[in-house]
Amino acid sequence: MTLRPLTVWDAGVLQPMLDDPAVRAAMRWDIDQNRDAARWLTSVIQQQEHPHYRFVYTFGVVLDDTDVLAGVVMVTIAREDEHAVPPVLQAELSIFLAPEHRGHGHAGRALRRVREWCFDDLAVLDPFGGSAPMGEVIAACLPTNDASRSMLGRLLVPRGTVEAASRRGGGTVTALKFGLTRAERREHPGR
């Protein structure tokens, strides 16, 4: 498996993924909203190139044996605590895969690789200026998503529930939160 930056040329392959009701539910996107892949990719790429208060990194999950774009991993970097000095960064991971690529372990391998990248390579970079360590990697899933709940439980430590903003008609949804701090990573190297 290879992780590579997404380009607008991926729009044709991504459109069916963005139209998938399971992806829309997991990403908390409005089911009825037209999500045009080319516009979405352009927006994501612009955020990567011109970040304001957060950094967003987006990777295509490419299967080596087929060279097929199987899905997308997104990493959103923010400050754990806006007032902490020195600042400590937090990375929120999200992933979605095409239906035919689910259930084969691709999501777990991709998220493990991105999690390690966040701790090892982003630890010395601070997108907000200066130097700051990656304090925690987090992710969330809907309680009804058994596969994601199981996978995240193997990669991160359960943190309970959190009310997450819903982009599906407003309001909030209850999500299961998982995380792994730098100290927990040292304590549980097999995780």
Side-chain angles (χ1 to χ4, degrees):
M1 168 185 311
T2 302
L3 299 175
R4 66 162 174 78
L6 290 174
T7 71
V8 292
W9 300 108
D10 294 318
V13 176
L14 285 176
Q15 190 63 60
M17 290 183 231
L18 297 179
D19 291 339
D20 181 356
V23 168
R24 288 176 174 267
M27 298 302 288
R28 302 183 320 272
W29 291 334
D30 190 345
I31 296 295
D32 299 325
Q33 179 184 3
N34 179 15
R35 181 140 322 249
D36 178 78
R39 293 178 93 182
W40 180 78
L41 276 171
T42 301
S43 171
V44 166
I45 291 166
Q46 286 174 344
Q47 288 179 38
Q48 287 178 180
E49 293 173 352
H50 303 289
H52 298 287
Y53 67 100
R54 304 162 70 147
F55 266 46
V56 178
Y57 298 92
T58 308
F59 302 98
V61 178
V62 178
L63 305 182
D64 290 335
D65 55 338
T66 63
D67 202 34
V68 168
L69 182 64
V72 174
V73 177
M74 293 182 289
V75 182
T76 304
I77 309 296
R79 289 179 186 243
E80 256 184 25
D81 177 351
E82 290 295 322
H83 305 292
V85 178
V88 178
L89 302 179
Q90 183 179 64
E92 181 177 359
L93 309 183
S94 305
I95 188 166
F96 59 85
L97 297 175
E100 64 271 21
H101 299 297
R102 297 178 195 147
H104 303 285
H106 303 313
R109 284 192 298 280
L111 286 181
R112 183 179 301 277
R113 188 172 295 169
V114 170
R115 180 196 68 194
E116 296 307 304
W117 174 76
C118 287
F119 279 122
D120 296 340
D121 296 329
L122 286 178
V124 296
L125 303 175
D126 177 11
F128 304 97
S131 176
M134 182 58 60
E136 184 176 26
V137 172
I138 63 169
C141 70
L142 297 175
T144 56
N145 190 335
D146 294 333
S148 291
R149 190 174 67 228
S150 175
M151 176 203 47
L152 289 174
R154 288 189 300 273
L155 294 172
L156 306 169
V157 177
R159 300 280 195 240
T161 60
V162 63
E163 292 299 312
S166 175
R167 293 176 281 273
R168 300 175 72 191
T172 61
V173 295
T174 300
L176 301 176
K177 184 177 178 183
F178 298 83
L180 189 71
T181 64
R182 186 172 292 282
E184 289 169 331
R185 181 178 179 230
R186 283 191 298 270
E187 292 170 15
H188 308 285
R191 198 175 270 277

